[in-house]
Amino acid sequence: MTTPVRKAVILAGGLGTRMLPASAAAPKEMLPVLDKPLLEYAVEEAIEAGIEQIILVLSPGKESIREYFEGNSRVARTLVERGDDRAAIALRGSHLASFSFTEQREPRGIADAVATTRAIVGDEPFALMFPDDLIFASPSATAQLATRQAETGGSVVAVQPVAPELVENYGIADTAPGRDWRISGIIEKPSASEAPSNYAVVGRYILAPSIFEHIERLTPGRGGEYQITDAIAAQISAGEPVHALPFEGDRFDTGRPGGYLEAFVAAALRRPELESSVAAIRTMLRMSDHAS
Ligand code: G1P
Protein backbone atom coordinates (compact mmCIF):
# COMPACT_ATOMS: atom_id res chain seq x y z
CA MET A 1 0.00 0.00 0.00
CA THR A 2 1.23 3.47 -0.77
CA THR A 3 1.62 6.10 1.93
CA PRO A 4 -0.91 8.96 1.60
CA VAL A 5 0.43 12.42 0.86
CA ARG A 6 -0.05 14.42 4.07
CA LYS A 7 2.54 17.19 3.79
CA ALA A 8 3.15 19.96 1.28
CA VAL A 9 6.28 22.04 0.85
CA ILE A 10 5.48 25.44 -0.63
CA LEU A 11 8.38 27.58 -1.79
CA ALA A 12 8.08 31.24 -0.88
CA GLY A 13 11.71 32.32 -0.79
CA GLY A 14 12.29 33.64 -4.31
CA LEU A 15 13.28 37.21 -5.10
CA GLY A 16 10.55 37.73 -7.69
CA THR A 17 12.66 39.92 -9.93
CA ARG A 18 10.21 39.58 -12.82
CA MET A 19 7.63 41.47 -10.75
CA LEU A 20 9.75 44.48 -9.76
CA PRO A 21 9.12 47.02 -8.34
CA ALA A 22 6.10 45.33 -6.63
CA SER A 23 8.29 42.47 -5.33
CA ALA A 24 10.72 44.95 -3.76
CA ALA A 25 7.87 46.35 -1.67
CA ALA A 26 6.15 43.11 -0.60
CA PRO A 27 6.90 39.39 -0.90
CA LYS A 28 5.68 38.41 -4.37
CA GLU A 29 3.85 35.42 -2.85
CA MET A 30 1.63 37.83 -0.87
CA LEU A 31 0.54 39.90 -3.85
CA PRO A 32 -3.21 39.53 -4.10
CA VAL A 33 -5.24 37.95 -6.84
CA LEU A 34 -8.47 39.85 -6.19
CA ASP A 35 -8.66 40.00 -2.38
CA LYS A 36 -6.59 36.95 -1.44
CA PRO A 37 -2.80 36.55 -1.27
CA LEU A 38 -1.43 34.30 -4.01
CA LEU A 39 0.08 31.97 -1.45
CA GLU A 40 -3.35 31.29 0.03
CA TYR A 41 -4.55 29.82 -3.27
CA ALA A 42 -1.71 27.26 -3.05
CA VAL A 43 -2.53 26.53 0.60
CA GLU A 44 -6.21 25.98 -0.26
CA GLU A 45 -5.25 23.75 -3.17
CA ALA A 46 -3.10 21.63 -0.85
CA ILE A 47 -5.89 21.32 1.69
CA GLU A 48 -8.35 20.28 -1.00
CA ALA A 49 -5.91 17.46 -1.80
CA GLY A 50 -6.05 16.18 1.79
CA ILE A 51 -2.78 17.75 2.95
CA GLU A 52 -2.64 18.26 6.72
CA GLN A 53 0.67 20.01 7.20
CA ILE A 54 2.09 22.87 5.16
CA ILE A 55 5.79 23.66 5.27
CA LEU A 56 6.63 27.10 3.95
CA VAL A 57 10.19 27.77 2.88
CA LEU A 58 10.93 31.46 3.44
CA SER A 59 14.01 33.63 2.95
CA PRO A 60 15.22 36.67 4.88
CA GLY A 61 12.79 39.57 4.42
CA LYS A 62 9.70 37.38 4.15
CA GLU A 63 8.68 37.58 7.82
CA SER A 64 5.26 38.98 6.91
CA ILE A 65 4.36 35.59 5.39
CA ARG A 66 5.02 33.86 8.68
CA GLU A 67 3.06 36.51 10.60
CA TYR A 68 0.10 36.09 8.28
CA PHE A 69 -0.07 32.28 8.51
CA GLU A 70 0.56 32.35 12.26
CA GLY A 71 -2.32 34.80 12.67
CA ASN A 72 0.08 37.33 14.08
CA SER A 73 -0.08 40.22 11.63
CA ARG A 74 -0.48 43.70 13.05
CA VAL A 75 -3.86 44.11 11.37
CA ALA A 76 -5.15 40.81 12.79
CA ARG A 77 -3.86 41.59 16.30
CA THR A 78 -5.40 45.05 16.28
CA LEU A 79 -8.80 43.76 15.14
CA VAL A 80 -8.71 41.03 17.81
CA GLU A 81 -7.84 43.59 20.52
CA ARG A 82 -10.74 45.78 19.42
CA GLY A 83 -13.16 42.85 19.34
CA ASP A 84 -13.82 43.68 15.68
CA ASP A 85 -15.76 41.00 13.74
CA ARG A 86 -13.45 41.40 10.78
CA ALA A 87 -10.66 39.79 12.83
CA ALA A 88 -12.00 36.42 11.64
CA ILE A 89 -11.32 37.40 8.02
CA ALA A 90 -7.83 38.67 8.82
CA LEU A 91 -7.09 35.41 10.67
CA ARG A 92 -8.55 33.11 8.03
CA GLY A 93 -5.20 32.12 6.49
CA SER A 94 -3.88 30.93 9.84
CA HIS A 95 -6.82 28.60 10.45
CA LEU A 96 -6.48 26.72 7.18
CA ALA A 97 -3.90 24.11 8.20
CA SER A 98 -1.00 23.43 10.50
CA PHE A 99 2.01 25.47 9.33
CA SER A 100 5.75 25.00 9.77
CA PHE A 101 8.47 27.29 8.47
CA THR A 102 12.03 26.82 7.31
CA GLU A 103 14.49 29.37 5.97
CA GLN A 104 16.69 29.30 2.91
CA ARG A 105 19.43 31.84 3.67
CA GLU A 106 20.95 32.17 0.19
CA PRO A 107 19.22 31.82 -3.21
CA ARG A 108 20.95 28.56 -4.19
CA GLY A 109 18.13 26.91 -6.11
CA ILE A 110 14.93 24.96 -5.63
CA ALA A 111 16.62 21.72 -4.53
CA ASP A 112 18.53 23.64 -1.85
CA ALA A 113 15.23 25.17 -0.63
CA VAL A 114 13.60 21.72 -0.50
CA ALA A 115 16.57 20.35 1.48
CA THR A 116 15.71 22.71 4.38
CA THR A 117 12.46 20.76 4.95
CA ARG A 118 13.99 17.28 5.28
CA ALA A 119 13.62 16.92 9.06
CA ILE A 120 9.96 18.02 8.95
CA VAL A 121 8.95 15.93 5.92
CA GLY A 122 10.70 12.78 7.13
CA ASP A 123 10.35 9.53 5.25
CA GLU A 124 7.09 9.99 3.32
CA PRO A 125 6.03 11.28 -0.11
CA PHE A 126 5.18 14.98 -0.12
CA ALA A 127 3.76 17.62 -2.44
CA LEU A 128 6.04 20.39 -3.71
CA MET A 129 4.27 23.54 -4.90
CA PHE A 130 5.39 26.85 -6.43
CA PRO A 131 2.75 29.48 -5.64
CA ASP A 132 3.62 31.59 -8.73
CA ASP A 133 1.98 28.87 -10.79
CA LEU A 134 -1.67 29.52 -9.99
CA ILE A 135 -3.87 26.64 -11.16
CA PHE A 136 -7.66 26.66 -11.26
CA ALA A 137 -8.83 23.06 -11.44
CA SER A 138 -11.41 20.76 -9.95
CA PRO A 139 -10.23 18.48 -8.44
CA SER A 140 -7.17 20.61 -7.70
CA ALA A 141 -3.94 19.90 -9.57
CA THR A 142 -2.34 18.62 -6.35
CA ALA A 143 -5.32 16.29 -5.76
CA GLN A 144 -4.94 14.96 -9.31
CA LEU A 145 -1.23 14.32 -8.68
CA ALA A 146 -1.88 12.59 -5.36
CA THR A 147 -4.47 10.29 -6.99
CA ARG A 148 -2.00 9.36 -9.70
CA GLN A 149 0.85 8.86 -7.22
CA ALA A 150 -1.30 6.40 -5.26
CA GLU A 151 -1.40 4.28 -8.45
CA THR A 152 2.22 4.63 -9.57
CA GLY A 153 4.18 5.12 -6.34
CA GLY A 154 7.47 7.01 -6.70
CA SER A 155 7.31 10.61 -7.90
CA VAL A 156 4.75 12.31 -10.15
CA VAL A 157 5.30 15.62 -11.90
CA ALA A 158 2.63 17.94 -13.38
CA VAL A 159 3.27 18.71 -17.05
CA GLN A 160 1.73 20.81 -19.77
CA PRO A 161 2.60 20.92 -23.48
CA VAL A 162 4.26 24.21 -24.49
CA ALA A 163 5.28 25.77 -27.81
CA PRO A 164 8.85 24.85 -28.93
CA GLU A 165 10.10 28.43 -28.40
CA LEU A 166 9.07 28.23 -24.73
CA VAL A 167 10.82 24.97 -23.70
CA GLU A 168 13.92 26.93 -22.63
CA ASN A 169 11.90 28.39 -19.70
CA TYR A 170 10.98 25.06 -18.10
CA GLY A 171 12.09 21.67 -16.93
CA ILE A 172 11.25 19.35 -19.84
CA ALA A 173 10.31 15.68 -19.38
CA ASP A 174 11.18 12.84 -21.74
CA THR A 175 7.76 11.20 -21.73
CA ALA A 176 4.82 10.29 -23.94
CA PRO A 177 1.25 9.04 -23.51
CA GLY A 178 2.12 5.65 -25.05
CA ARG A 179 4.61 4.95 -22.26
CA ASP A 180 1.96 5.39 -19.58
CA TRP A 181 3.60 8.79 -19.05
CA ARG A 182 6.63 7.22 -17.38
CA ILE A 183 9.47 9.75 -17.53
CA SER A 184 12.76 8.38 -18.84
CA GLY A 185 14.72 11.63 -18.47
CA ILE A 186 14.21 15.23 -17.43
CA ILE A 187 16.27 18.31 -18.22
CA GLU A 188 16.22 21.84 -16.85
CA LYS A 189 15.63 24.65 -19.35
CA PRO A 190 16.98 22.95 -22.51
CA SER A 191 17.33 24.69 -25.87
CA ALA A 192 14.64 23.77 -28.41
CA SER A 193 17.09 21.38 -30.11
CA GLU A 194 18.09 19.60 -26.85
CA ALA A 195 14.49 19.26 -25.56
CA PRO A 196 13.34 15.61 -25.41
CA SER A 197 9.65 16.63 -25.81
CA ASN A 198 7.48 19.72 -25.36
CA TYR A 199 6.05 18.55 -22.02
CA ALA A 200 7.00 21.30 -19.57
CA VAL A 201 7.03 20.80 -15.82
CA VAL A 202 4.76 23.22 -13.98
CA GLY A 203 5.18 23.97 -10.30
CA ARG A 204 3.41 20.93 -8.79
CA TYR A 205 5.10 17.67 -7.83
CA ILE A 206 4.61 14.69 -5.55
CA LEU A 207 8.12 13.58 -4.59
CA ALA A 208 9.25 10.32 -3.06
CA PRO A 209 11.39 11.00 0.03
CA SER A 210 14.47 9.52 -1.71
CA ILE A 211 14.69 12.99 -3.29
CA PHE A 212 16.53 14.23 -0.16
CA GLU A 213 19.39 11.73 -0.64
CA HIS A 214 19.65 12.66 -4.31
CA ILE A 215 19.71 16.36 -3.40
CA GLU A 216 22.64 15.73 -1.05
CA ARG A 217 24.67 14.38 -3.93
CA LEU A 218 23.81 17.16 -6.41
CA THR A 219 26.32 19.51 -7.94
CA PRO A 220 25.21 22.95 -9.14
CA GLY A 221 23.25 22.74 -12.42
CA ARG A 222 21.68 25.27 -14.80
CA GLY A 223 22.40 28.84 -13.67
CA GLY A 224 24.84 27.56 -11.01
CA GLU A 225 21.85 26.56 -8.81
CA TYR A 226 20.87 23.26 -7.21
CA GLN A 227 18.01 22.14 -9.46
CA ILE A 228 15.12 19.93 -8.34
CA THR A 229 14.99 18.76 -11.97
CA ASP A 230 18.48 17.24 -11.54
CA ALA A 231 17.44 15.48 -8.32
CA ILE A 232 14.43 13.99 -10.15
CA ALA A 233 16.75 12.94 -12.99
CA ALA A 234 18.80 11.10 -10.33
CA GLN A 235 15.66 9.27 -9.13
CA ILE A 236 15.08 8.16 -12.73
CA SER A 237 18.70 7.02 -13.15
CA ALA A 238 18.38 5.00 -9.93
CA GLY A 239 15.42 3.13 -11.53
CA GLU A 240 12.77 4.73 -9.29
CA PRO A 241 9.36 5.28 -10.95
CA VAL A 242 8.76 8.88 -12.02
CA HIS A 243 5.62 9.70 -14.00
CA ALA A 244 4.26 12.79 -15.70
CA LEU A 245 0.68 13.93 -15.24
CA PRO A 246 -0.82 16.18 -17.92
CA PHE A 247 -3.29 17.60 -15.40
CA GLU A 248 -6.67 19.11 -16.26
CA GLY A 249 -6.96 22.79 -15.36
CA ASP A 250 -6.03 26.37 -16.19
CA ARG A 251 -2.55 27.46 -15.15
CA PHE A 252 -1.29 31.02 -14.90
CA ASP A 253 2.30 32.15 -14.46
CA THR A 254 1.68 34.97 -11.98
CA GLY A 255 5.43 35.60 -11.73
CA ARG A 256 5.21 37.92 -14.74
CA PRO A 257 2.86 40.86 -15.28
CA GLY A 258 0.92 39.35 -18.22
CA GLY A 259 0.25 36.05 -16.44
CA TYR A 260 -0.71 37.92 -13.27
CA LEU A 261 -3.26 39.95 -15.23
CA GLU A 262 -4.75 36.80 -16.79
CA ALA A 263 -5.00 35.19 -13.34
CA PHE A 264 -6.95 38.19 -12.03
CA VAL A 265 -9.46 37.96 -14.84
CA ALA A 266 -9.75 34.17 -14.52
CA ALA A 267 -10.33 34.52 -10.76
CA ALA A 268 -12.96 37.21 -11.36
CA LEU A 269 -14.80 34.97 -13.83
CA ARG A 270 -15.19 32.47 -10.97
CA ARG A 271 -16.78 35.00 -8.62
CA PRO A 272 -20.47 35.63 -9.43
CA GLU A 273 -20.60 38.75 -7.22
CA LEU A 274 -18.04 40.41 -9.52
CA GLU A 275 -20.27 40.00 -12.57
CA SER A 276 -20.76 43.74 -13.14
CA SER A 277 -16.98 44.37 -13.02
CA VAL A 278 -16.44 41.54 -15.49
CA ALA A 279 -19.09 43.13 -17.75
CA ALA A 280 -17.20 46.45 -17.52
CA ILE A 281 -13.98 44.68 -18.58
CA ARG A 282 -15.77 43.11 -21.55
CA THR A 283 -17.01 46.57 -22.63
CA MET A 284 -13.52 48.03 -22.24
CA LEU A 285 -12.07 45.28 -24.45
CA ARG A 286 -14.78 45.72 -27.09
CA MET A 287 -14.15 49.46 -27.20
CA SER A 288 -10.40 48.98 -27.62
CA ASP A 289 -11.09 46.41 -30.39
CA HIS A 290 -13.15 48.98 -32.24
CA ALA A 291 -10.58 51.72 -31.70
CA SER A 292 -7.78 49.65 -33.25
C1 G1P B 1 11.14 26.19 -12.01
C2 G1P B 1 11.75 24.83 -12.30
C3 G1P B 1 11.36 24.37 -13.70
C4 G1P B 1 9.85 24.36 -13.84
C5 G1P B 1 9.25 25.75 -13.44
C6 G1P B 1 7.75 25.69 -13.38
O1 G1P B 1 11.73 27.15 -12.83
O2 G1P B 1 13.16 24.92 -12.19
O3 G1P B 1 11.87 23.09 -13.95
O4 G1P B 1 9.49 24.04 -15.15
O5 G1P B 1 9.73 26.17 -12.16
O6 G1P B 1 7.20 26.94 -13.06
P1 G1P B 1 11.65 28.74 -12.52
O7 G1P B 1 10.31 29.18 -13.03
O8 G1P B 1 11.80 28.89 -11.04
O9 G1P B 1 12.78 29.36 -13.30
Side-chain angles (χ1 to χ4, degrees), residues 18 28 110 130 132-133 158 169-172 186-189 200-205 225 227-229 251 253:
R18 291 180 304 159
K28 62 168 178 168
I110 292 170
F130 305 163
D132 313 11
D133 278 324
N169 299 317
Y170 295 97
I172 301 291
I186 189 164
I187 157 166
E188 180 67 9
K189 305 198 170 88
V201 176
V202 309
R204 299 291 186 276
Y205 313 70
E225 295 193 342
Q227 299 291 351
I228 199 68
T229 308
R251 171 238 172 200
D253 175 9

Short mmCIF file of all heavy atoms in Angstrom, two decimals, residues 18 28 110 130 132-133 158 169-172 186-189 200-205 225 227-229 251 253, ligand 1:
data_model
loop_
_atom_site.label_atom_id
_atom_site.label_comp_id
_atom_site.label_asym_id
_atom_site.label_seq_id
_atom_site.Cartn_x
_atom_site.Cartn_y
_atom_site.Cartn_z
N ARG A 18 11.04 39.28 -11.65
CA ARG A 18 10.21 39.58 -12.82
C ARG A 18 9.00 40.45 -12.46
O ARG A 18 8.29 40.91 -13.33
CB ARG A 18 9.73 38.29 -13.51
CG ARG A 18 10.89 37.52 -14.18
CD ARG A 18 10.40 36.25 -14.85
NE ARG A 18 9.69 35.38 -13.92
CZ ARG A 18 8.84 34.43 -14.27
NH1 ARG A 18 8.58 34.23 -15.54
NH2 ARG A 18 8.25 33.69 -13.36
N LYS A 28 6.53 38.62 -3.18
CA LYS A 28 5.68 38.41 -4.37
C LYS A 28 4.59 37.39 -4.08
O LYS A 28 3.52 37.44 -4.68
CB LYS A 28 6.52 37.96 -5.57
CG LYS A 28 7.21 36.63 -5.35
CD LYS A 28 7.81 36.04 -6.62
CE LYS A 28 8.52 34.75 -6.26
NZ LYS A 28 8.90 33.92 -7.37
N ILE A 110 16.12 25.61 -6.17
CA ILE A 110 14.93 24.96 -5.63
C ILE A 110 15.30 23.73 -4.79
O ILE A 110 14.75 23.50 -3.71
CB ILE A 110 13.97 24.58 -6.78
CG1 ILE A 110 13.40 25.85 -7.41
CG2 ILE A 110 12.84 23.67 -6.30
CD1 ILE A 110 12.65 25.64 -8.71
N PHE A 130 4.88 25.49 -6.22
CA PHE A 130 5.39 26.85 -6.43
C PHE A 130 4.17 27.76 -6.55
O PHE A 130 3.41 27.65 -7.52
CB PHE A 130 6.21 26.93 -7.73
CG PHE A 130 7.34 25.95 -7.84
CD1 PHE A 130 7.91 25.67 -9.06
CD2 PHE A 130 7.83 25.29 -6.72
CE1 PHE A 130 8.95 24.77 -9.18
CE2 PHE A 130 8.88 24.39 -6.82
CZ PHE A 130 9.45 24.12 -8.06
N ASP A 132 3.73 30.74 -7.52
CA ASP A 132 3.62 31.59 -8.73
C ASP A 132 2.79 30.92 -9.80
O ASP A 132 2.19 31.59 -10.63
CB ASP A 132 4.94 31.80 -9.48
CG ASP A 132 6.09 32.15 -8.65
OD1 ASP A 132 5.99 32.04 -7.44
OD2 ASP A 132 7.11 32.54 -9.26
N ASP A 133 2.83 29.59 -9.84
CA ASP A 133 1.98 28.87 -10.79
C ASP A 133 0.62 28.73 -10.13
O ASP A 133 0.42 27.90 -9.25
CB ASP A 133 2.56 27.47 -11.08
CG ASP A 133 3.66 27.51 -12.14
OD1 ASP A 133 3.55 28.30 -13.08
OD2 ASP A 133 4.62 26.73 -12.01
N ALA A 158 3.66 17.34 -12.51
CA ALA A 158 2.63 17.94 -13.38
C ALA A 158 3.30 18.50 -14.63
O ALA A 158 4.32 19.19 -14.54
CB ALA A 158 1.92 19.06 -12.62
N ASN A 169 12.30 27.78 -20.99
CA ASN A 169 11.90 28.39 -19.70
C ASN A 169 11.52 27.36 -18.64
O ASN A 169 11.17 27.74 -17.52
CB ASN A 169 10.67 29.28 -19.91
CG ASN A 169 10.95 30.40 -20.87
OD1 ASN A 169 12.00 31.02 -20.81
ND2 ASN A 169 10.03 30.65 -21.79
N TYR A 170 11.55 26.08 -18.99
CA TYR A 170 10.98 25.06 -18.10
C TYR A 170 11.90 23.85 -17.95
O TYR A 170 12.79 23.63 -18.77
CB TYR A 170 9.65 24.56 -18.69
CG TYR A 170 8.57 25.58 -18.74
CD1 TYR A 170 8.32 26.30 -19.91
CD2 TYR A 170 7.78 25.85 -17.63
CE1 TYR A 170 7.31 27.25 -19.97
CE2 TYR A 170 6.76 26.79 -17.68
CZ TYR A 170 6.54 27.49 -18.85
OH TYR A 170 5.54 28.43 -18.89
N GLY A 171 11.58 23.03 -16.94
CA GLY A 171 12.09 21.67 -16.93
C GLY A 171 11.29 20.90 -17.96
O GLY A 171 10.07 21.07 -18.05
N ILE A 172 11.96 20.08 -18.78
CA ILE A 172 11.25 19.35 -19.84
C ILE A 172 11.43 17.84 -19.63
O ILE A 172 12.56 17.36 -19.39
CB ILE A 172 11.78 19.76 -21.24
CG1 ILE A 172 11.59 21.28 -21.47
CG2 ILE A 172 11.11 18.94 -22.34
CD1 ILE A 172 10.15 21.75 -21.63
N ILE A 186 14.80 13.91 -17.65
CA ILE A 186 14.21 15.23 -17.43
C ILE A 186 15.36 16.23 -17.42
O ILE A 186 16.44 15.95 -16.89
CB ILE A 186 13.38 15.25 -16.12
CG1 ILE A 186 12.58 16.54 -15.97
CG2 ILE A 186 14.23 14.98 -14.89
CD1 ILE A 186 11.47 16.44 -14.91
N ILE A 187 15.15 17.37 -18.07
CA ILE A 187 16.27 18.31 -18.22
C ILE A 187 15.79 19.74 -17.97
O ILE A 187 14.70 20.12 -18.40
CB ILE A 187 16.98 18.06 -19.58
CG1 ILE A 187 17.75 19.26 -20.09
CG2 ILE A 187 16.06 17.61 -20.66
CD1 ILE A 187 18.71 18.86 -21.23
N GLU A 188 16.60 20.48 -17.24
CA GLU A 188 16.22 21.84 -16.85
C GLU A 188 16.53 22.84 -17.96
O GLU A 188 17.67 22.95 -18.41
CB GLU A 188 16.96 22.22 -15.55
CG GLU A 188 16.66 23.62 -15.01
CD GLU A 188 15.21 23.81 -14.51
OE1 GLU A 188 14.47 22.82 -14.42
OE2 GLU A 188 14.85 24.96 -14.22
N LYS A 189 15.50 23.55 -18.39
CA LYS A 189 15.63 24.65 -19.35
C LYS A 189 16.54 24.32 -20.54
O LYS A 189 17.55 24.98 -20.77
CB LYS A 189 16.08 25.92 -18.63
CG LYS A 189 15.15 26.28 -17.47
CD LYS A 189 15.27 27.70 -17.00
CE LYS A 189 14.16 28.04 -16.02
NZ LYS A 189 14.41 27.76 -14.63
N ALA A 200 6.32 20.46 -20.56
CA ALA A 200 7.00 21.30 -19.57
C ALA A 200 6.48 20.99 -18.18
O ALA A 200 5.28 20.78 -17.98
CB ALA A 200 6.73 22.77 -19.89
N VAL A 201 7.39 21.00 -17.22
CA VAL A 201 7.03 20.80 -15.82
C VAL A 201 6.44 22.11 -15.30
O VAL A 201 7.02 23.17 -15.50
CB VAL A 201 8.28 20.45 -15.00
CG1 VAL A 201 7.93 20.34 -13.52
CG2 VAL A 201 8.92 19.16 -15.52
N VAL A 202 5.27 22.03 -14.67
CA VAL A 202 4.76 23.22 -13.98
C VAL A 202 4.95 23.00 -12.48
O VAL A 202 5.29 21.90 -12.06
CB VAL A 202 3.30 23.55 -14.35
CG1 VAL A 202 3.11 23.61 -15.85
CG2 VAL A 202 2.35 22.58 -13.75
N GLY A 203 4.75 24.03 -11.69
CA GLY A 203 5.18 23.97 -10.30
C GLY A 203 4.35 23.12 -9.35
O GLY A 203 3.95 23.59 -8.27
N ARG A 204 4.11 21.87 -9.68
CA ARG A 204 3.41 20.93 -8.79
C ARG A 204 4.06 19.56 -8.93
O ARG A 204 4.16 19.03 -10.05
CB ARG A 204 1.93 20.79 -9.16
CG ARG A 204 1.11 22.05 -9.09
CD ARG A 204 0.90 22.53 -7.65
NE ARG A 204 0.00 23.65 -7.61
CZ ARG A 204 0.35 24.93 -7.81
NH1 ARG A 204 1.61 25.24 -8.08
NH2 ARG A 204 -0.56 25.89 -7.75
N TYR A 205 4.46 18.98 -7.82
CA TYR A 205 5.10 17.67 -7.83
C TYR A 205 4.63 16.87 -6.61
O TYR A 205 4.29 17.46 -5.59
CB TYR A 205 6.62 17.78 -7.65
CG TYR A 205 7.36 18.80 -8.50
CD1 TYR A 205 7.22 20.18 -8.30
CD2 TYR A 205 8.25 18.39 -9.49
CE1 TYR A 205 7.92 21.11 -9.07
CE2 TYR A 205 8.96 19.31 -10.26
CZ TYR A 205 8.79 20.66 -10.05
OH TYR A 205 9.48 21.58 -10.81
N GLU A 225 22.73 26.84 -9.96
CA GLU A 225 21.85 26.56 -8.81
C GLU A 225 21.61 25.06 -8.66
O GLU A 225 21.76 24.30 -9.62
CB GLU A 225 20.51 27.27 -9.01
CG GLU A 225 20.65 28.79 -9.00
CD GLU A 225 19.31 29.50 -8.89
OE1 GLU A 225 18.27 28.87 -9.17
OE2 GLU A 225 19.33 30.69 -8.52
N GLN A 227 19.29 22.27 -8.76
CA GLN A 227 18.01 22.14 -9.46
C GLN A 227 17.25 20.91 -8.99
O GLN A 227 17.81 19.81 -8.96
CB GLN A 227 18.25 22.04 -10.97
CG GLN A 227 18.93 23.26 -11.58
CD GLN A 227 18.04 24.51 -11.60
OE1 GLN A 227 16.85 24.43 -11.31
NE2 GLN A 227 18.63 25.65 -11.90
N ILE A 228 15.95 21.08 -8.70
CA ILE A 228 15.12 19.93 -8.34
C ILE A 228 15.00 18.98 -9.54
O ILE A 228 14.91 17.76 -9.39
CB ILE A 228 13.73 20.38 -7.80
CG1 ILE A 228 13.07 19.25 -7.01
CG2 ILE A 228 12.81 20.85 -8.90
CD1 ILE A 228 13.72 18.89 -5.72
N THR A 229 15.03 19.57 -10.74
CA THR A 229 14.99 18.76 -11.97
C THR A 229 16.13 17.74 -11.97
O THR A 229 15.94 16.57 -12.36
CB THR A 229 15.11 19.69 -13.19
OG1 THR A 229 14.12 20.71 -13.06
CG2 THR A 229 14.90 18.96 -14.50
N ARG A 251 -3.72 27.05 -15.92
CA ARG A 251 -2.55 27.46 -15.15
C ARG A 251 -2.09 28.84 -15.59
O ARG A 251 -2.07 29.15 -16.78
CB ARG A 251 -1.44 26.42 -15.37
CG ARG A 251 -0.11 26.81 -14.81
CD ARG A 251 0.92 26.81 -15.90
NE ARG A 251 2.16 27.36 -15.42
CZ ARG A 251 3.10 27.84 -16.22
NH1 ARG A 251 2.94 27.84 -17.51
NH2 ARG A 251 4.18 28.34 -15.71
N ASP A 253 0.99 31.82 -15.01
CA ASP A 253 2.30 32.15 -14.46
C ASP A 253 2.22 33.56 -13.89
O ASP A 253 2.45 34.55 -14.58
CB ASP A 253 3.36 32.05 -15.56
CG ASP A 253 4.73 32.50 -15.06
OD1 ASP A 253 4.88 32.72 -13.84
OD2 ASP A 253 5.65 32.64 -15.90
C1 G1P B 1 11.14 26.19 -12.01
C2 G1P B 1 11.75 24.83 -12.30
C3 G1P B 1 11.36 24.37 -13.70
C4 G1P B 1 9.85 24.36 -13.84
C5 G1P B 1 9.25 25.75 -13.44
C6 G1P B 1 7.75 25.69 -13.38
O1 G1P B 1 11.73 27.15 -12.83
O2 G1P B 1 13.16 24.92 -12.19
O3 G1P B 1 11.87 23.09 -13.95
O4 G1P B 1 9.49 24.04 -15.15
O5 G1P B 1 9.73 26.17 -12.16
O6 G1P B 1 7.20 26.94 -13.06
P1 G1P B 1 11.65 28.74 -12.52
O7 G1P B 1 10.31 29.18 -13.03
O8 G1P B 1 11.80 28.89 -11.04
O9 G1P B 1 12.78 29.36 -13.30
#
